[in-house]
């Protein structure tokens, strides 16, 4: 590896750190887009089988080229800007919806040392980046100059702000027991403990001692990404498609990409924070990226499963769950974990 | 000029321009979005000072929460700029006086001998592995614990007051207690009647 990089590095000279970072970014974004494309196919197939139908099977062998066909179709369509829309913000909306979903990957570790920015405040960075995701939706909803789009934007603002708080408190519990904000350290901290000593590593991952927080984080993650059953932001049957109603072609595709990239991001974060990241569940198998991929795929499957299972929440129920159930629960659990850490029963010495 | 100065001047220029646009933009939504941009640039400048916790907290709290709610309200207002601009000239002398006073105060504070470059020592170079977040937390919960707790109590009181001011019980709302709703059985809602098929 070094021998290959060395001559290229000397060729670029002083610009090499920049080029190297760009190459690493491309190395993450390109596979991510491929995953997004095939996640859309997986969603249609999985939900299809759950509803005892076949799903897309016309384009390519077993419908495997369907995402490519969809992408080409969206690229070739015309982007229509409504005459009453606020032109500049109408274009900025979808860009802001996708941007944070990609920026967050800068601090996500894929394996030991495989991370673009191994920063100390990684978890804080993630909280900040995911908290600005809502702007794309709000701006799109307002700039479209349409009632449905506006209602979608307002709903998104209320919902995402509500669930962010519960999500934040769940993360506070995680950072308290790992006493670090660095994601690589959080994963490394999960590799130690009584379970790991017995050779059953999965028992010392954070999901077990923080089980209620794991559930809260997962559900808040679904709400943050506006996926069913929390998809009142789109709400096809009430407000047509919410903030996306006026968008067509590639502008719409950006929202779509953003939503699925966010799903993958939330799954990756749940795996890293609660399910031990790249650690292997049992000691006789080696750690590695493959375990993270399996965990991400499992949580993505849960996302699809929930969509096929649950009917959409009513709006006031969403707000009640966020404010009256999750926030008190997580607040209480922060105190419980704090007492637990200071008590002789602490698992994290 | 080294790289850090370039970044500093870039962020500062963006911040000053965005702040100017906050007060000159005709559309209140545009003004709110320019304020978001200004917060972002301020976060960037703090990041340059190795204050990563404060920078990220600024983005998280102000951009991620406060401004979202701001936008939420501003978007729903139907603001008539003509009406707001009425009386601009009659208010101008008072406004200008306050503005000049504030400029003088700023000059006195920033230009004074306690605030100059020679009065403030250069911050110590941080070594590898120094965590700004940890240091800040340690100071907040040891040396400054009383002011910190007092500030949080003031915030709590403000929060309770805000809730108490806006809380009102409305009559005739058709809200159902979720516990009752969940406990509903089929027999409470449907009655199965067995009847013979009707024929013409």
């Amino acid at each position: 590896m070094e021998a290959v990089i060395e001559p290229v590095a000397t060729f670029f000279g002083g610009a090499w750190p920049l080029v190297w970072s760009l190459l690493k970014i491309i190395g993450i974004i390109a596979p991510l887009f491929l995953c997004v494309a095939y996640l859309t196919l997986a969603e249609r197939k999985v939900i299809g089988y759950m509803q005892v139908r076949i799903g897309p099977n016309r384009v390519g062998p077993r419908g495997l080229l369907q995402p490519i066909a969809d992408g080409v179709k969206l690229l070739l369509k015309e982007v229509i800007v409504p005459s009453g829309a606020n032109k500049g913000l109408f274009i900025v909306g979808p860009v802001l919806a996708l941007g944070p979903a990609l920026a967050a990957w800068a601090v996500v570790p894929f394996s030991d040392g495989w991370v673009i920015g191994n920063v100390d405040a990684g978890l804080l960075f993630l909280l900040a980046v995911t908290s600005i995701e809502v702007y794309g939706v709000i701006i799109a909803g307002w700039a479209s100059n349409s009632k449905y789009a506006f209602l979608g934007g307002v709903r998104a603002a209320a919902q995402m702000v509500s669930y962010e708080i519960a999500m934040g408190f769940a993360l506070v519990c995680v950072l308290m027991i790992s006493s670090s904000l660095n994601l690589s350290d959080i994963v490394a901290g999960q590799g130690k403990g009584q379970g790991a000593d017995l050779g059953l590593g999965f028992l010392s991952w954070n999901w077990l001692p923080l089980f209620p927080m794991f559930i809260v984080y997962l559900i808040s993650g679904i709400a943050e990404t506006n996926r069913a059953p929390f998809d009142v932001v789109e709400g096809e049957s009430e407000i047509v498609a919410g903030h996306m109603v006026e968008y067509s072609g590639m502008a719409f595709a950006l929202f779509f990409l953003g939503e699925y990239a966010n799903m993958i991001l939330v799954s990756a974060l749940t795996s890293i924070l609660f399910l031990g990241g790249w650690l292997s569940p049992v000691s006789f198998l080696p750690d590695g990226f493959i375990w993270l991929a399996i965990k991400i795929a499992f949580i993505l499957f849960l996302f699809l499963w929930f969509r096929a299972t649950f009917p959409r929440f009513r709006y006031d129920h969403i707000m009640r769950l966020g404010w009256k159930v999750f926030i008190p629960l997580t607040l209480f659990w922060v105190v419980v974990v704090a007492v637990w850490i200071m008590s002789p029963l602490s698992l994290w010495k | 000029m080294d790289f850090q100065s370039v970044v500093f001047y870039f962020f500062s220029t963006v911040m000053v321009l965005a702040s100017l646009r906050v007060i000159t933009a005709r559309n209140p939504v545009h003004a709110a979005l320019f304020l978001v941009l200004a917060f972002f640039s301020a976060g960037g400048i703090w990041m340059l000072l190795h204050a990563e916790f404060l920078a990220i907290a600024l983005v998280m709290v102000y951009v991620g929460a406060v401004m979202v709610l701001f936008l939420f309200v501003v978007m729903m207002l139907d603001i008539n700029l003509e009406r707001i601009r009425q009386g601009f000239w009659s208010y101008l002398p008072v406004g200008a006086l306050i503005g000049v006073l504030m400029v003088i105060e700023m000059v006195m504070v920033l230009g004074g001998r306690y605030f100059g470059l020679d009065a403030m020592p250069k911050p110590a170079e941080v070594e590898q592995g120094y965590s700004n977040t940890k240091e800040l937390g340690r100071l907040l919960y040891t040396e400054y614990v009383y002011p910190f707790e007092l500030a949080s109590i003031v915030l709590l009181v403000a929060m309770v007051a805000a809730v108490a001011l806006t809380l009102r019980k409305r009559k005739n709302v058709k809200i159902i207690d979720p516990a009752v709703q969940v406990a509903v059985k089929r027999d409470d809602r449907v009655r199965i009647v067995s009847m013979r098929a009707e024929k013409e």
Side-chain angles (χ1 to χ4, degrees):
Chain A
M1 191 73 179
E2 287 291 321
V4 182
I5 292 174
E6 195 71 26
V8 189
T10 45
F11 173 73
F12 280 106
W16 174 245
L18 190 70
V19 175
W20 181 229
S21 305
L22 277 177
L23 283 178
K24 283 196 276 194
I25 292 170
I26 293 169
I28 289 180
I29 301 290
L32 181 67
F33 276 150
L34 203 67
C35 289
V36 167
Y38 277 90
L39 180 58
T40 59
L41 179 70
E43 171 165 41
R44 293 164 74 179
K45 276 284 184 189
V46 166
I47 294 181
Y49 284 122
M50 283 180 180
Q51 294 168 347
V52 204
R53 47 190 183 83
I54 294 170
N57 67 341
R58 292 288 146 183
V59 189
R62 297 180 147 261
L64 275 177
L65 296 180
Q66 183 70 42
I68 316 277
D70 288 343
V72 171
K73 183 197 81 171
L74 285 168
L75 267 174
L76 295 178
K77 274 193 169 179
E78 184 188 357
V79 177
I80 301 165
V81 182
S83 57
N86 194 314
K87 281 221 176 54
L89 288 183
F90 189 79
I91 304 297
V92 168
V95 176
L96 277 183
L98 181 61
L102 301 182
W105 288 93
V107 294
V108 173
F110 294 95
S111 182
D112 203 6
W114 290 14
V115 52
I116 294 185
N118 194 10
V119 292
D120 253 349
L123 198 60
L124 272 176
F125 174 83
L126 274 174
L127 267 175
V129 168
T130 48
S131 72
I132 56 177
E133 262 161 18
V134 64
Y135 276 96
V137 178
I138 302 183
I139 290 176
W142 181 78
S144 302
N145 195 22
S146 146
K147 285 195 180 68
Y148 291 133
F150 182 67
L151 279 172
V154 169
R155 284 183 179 192
Q159 178 178 326
M160 289 167 112
V161 167
S162 316
Y163 279 86
E164 219 171 77
I165 306 172
M167 217 170 178
F169 278 126
L171 293 187
V172 165
C173 290
V174 173
L175 72 91
M176 275 192 337
I177 64 169
S178 28
S179 62
S180 171
L181 285 167
N182 183 316
L183 290 170
S184 301
D185 290 349
I186 290 176
V187 173
Q190 295 181 59
K192 291 181 292 236
Q194 286 160 354
D197 295 342
L198 290 173
L200 299 169
F202 65 97
L203 289 179
S204 49
W205 296 346
N206 283 342
W207 68 272
L208 192 60
L210 293 180
F211 191 70
M213 292 303 103
F214 172 53
I215 301 296
V216 166
Y217 187 82
L218 193 59
I219 296 176
S220 307
I222 299 171
E224 280 281 293
T225 48
N226 297 327
R227 293 286 302 176
F230 295 94
D231 59 344
V232 286
V233 173
E234 286 172 46
E236 297 92 345
S237 52
E238 328 154 24
I239 51 171
V240 214
H243 57 285
M244 298 187 275
V245 67
E246 302 292 346
Y247 284 90
S248 58
M250 222 35 217
F252 168 75
L254 285 187
F255 277 117
F256 211 68
L257 287 174
E259 179 177 335
Y260 282 82
N262 262 331
M263 276 167 67
I264 300 180
L265 178 68
V266 167
S267 313
L269 290 183
T270 316
S271 319
I272 286 169
L273 298 171
F274 292 100
L275 297 179
W278 61 81
L279 299 177
S280 135
V282 279
S283 58
F284 57 83
L285 291 171
D287 301 338
F289 171 66
I290 184 73
W291 290 111
L292 183 64
I294 290 171
K295 289 163 191 171
I296 293 177
F298 170 69
I299 293 173
L300 283 174
F301 178 74
L302 287 184
F303 268 74
L304 308 183
W305 192 3
F306 291 153
R307 179 173 172 196
T309 309
F310 297 115
R312 184 177 298 138
F313 256 137
R314 214 172 66 199
Y315 188 73
D316 58 328
H317 284 190
I318 290 185
M319 285 295 133
R320 179 181 167 274
L321 183 70
W323 287 98
K324 292 189 177 171
V325 180
F326 278 179
I327 292 179
L329 177 73
T330 46
L331 261 177
F332 175 69
W333 207 257
V334 167
V335 178
V336 169
V337 170
V339 172
W340 191 357
I341 290 175
M342 296 313 287
S343 75
L345 294 173
S346 169
L347 301 170
W348 308 279
K349 282 285 161 58
Chain B
M1 202 153 53
D2 61 336
F3 180 65
Q4 282 196 348
S5 317
V6 175
V7 175
F8 171 75
Y9 282 113
F10 172 74
F11 276 126
S12 316
T13 322
V14 171
M15 191 162 113
V16 170
L17 290 181
S19 322
L20 268 179
R21 289 295 289 143
V22 173
I23 47 173
T24 54
R26 289 176 155 263
N27 193 323
V29 173
H30 289 179
L33 288 173
F34 275 116
L35 190 53
V36 170
L37 183 60
F39 281 139
F40 237 101
S41 320
I45 291 176
W46 286 3
M47 198 72 105
L48 271 182
L49 291 171
H50 298 288
E52 79 270 2
F53 178 79
L54 288 179
I56 295 175
L58 178 80
V59 171
M60 206 161 71
V61 174
Y62 281 92
V63 177
V66 174
M67 287 314 289
V68 171
L69 298 178
F70 238 82
L71 267 182
F72 186 89
V73 175
V74 167
M75 283 196 310
M76 285 200 273
L77 300 176
D78 186 22
I79 293 176
N80 188 346
L81 277 172
E82 285 306 310
R83 286 254 304 279
I84 293 177
R85 281 173 192 249
Q86 272 175 10
F88 175 76
W89 291 106
S90 57
Y91 289 127
L92 186 65
V94 185
L97 185 70
I98 294 176
V100 168
L101 269 179
M102 280 174 73
V103 168
I104 292 173
E105 280 178 3
M106 292 274 268
V107 168
M108 281 169 72
V109 170
L110 295 179
R113 62 195 160 90
Y114 297 111
F115 214 80
L117 272 179
D118 44 340
M120 294 276 178
K122 196 166 180 281
E125 282 296 320
V126 293
E127 68 270 25
Q128 198 77 30
Y130 170 83
S131 171
N132 183 270
T133 317
K134 203 172 262 176
E135 208 54 43
L136 202 68
R138 187 170 294 141
L139 273 180
L140 271 185
Y141 286 102
T142 54
E143 206 165 318
Y144 298 105
V145 66
Y146 291 119
F148 182 71
E149 294 295 329
L150 267 179
S152 53
I153 285 175
V154 170
L155 268 179
L156 182 68
V157 170
M159 202 162 80
V160 172
V163 172
L165 280 177
T166 51
L167 187 70
R168 57 206 159 105
K169 272 264 186 288
R170 277 197 299 179
K171 280 173 187 155
N172 309 325
V173 281
K174 291 176 177 166
I175 197 152
I176 309 168
D177 182 10
V180 177
Q181 215 168 356
V182 168
V184 159
K185 296 276 183 305
R186 191 200 64 182
D187 297 338
D188 304 337
R189 296 282 162 91
V190 238
R191 189 163 51 96
I192 307 277
V193 187
S194 69
M195 60 183 284
R196 295 177 52 187
E198 287 184 30
K199 286 175 192 161
E200 295 274 325

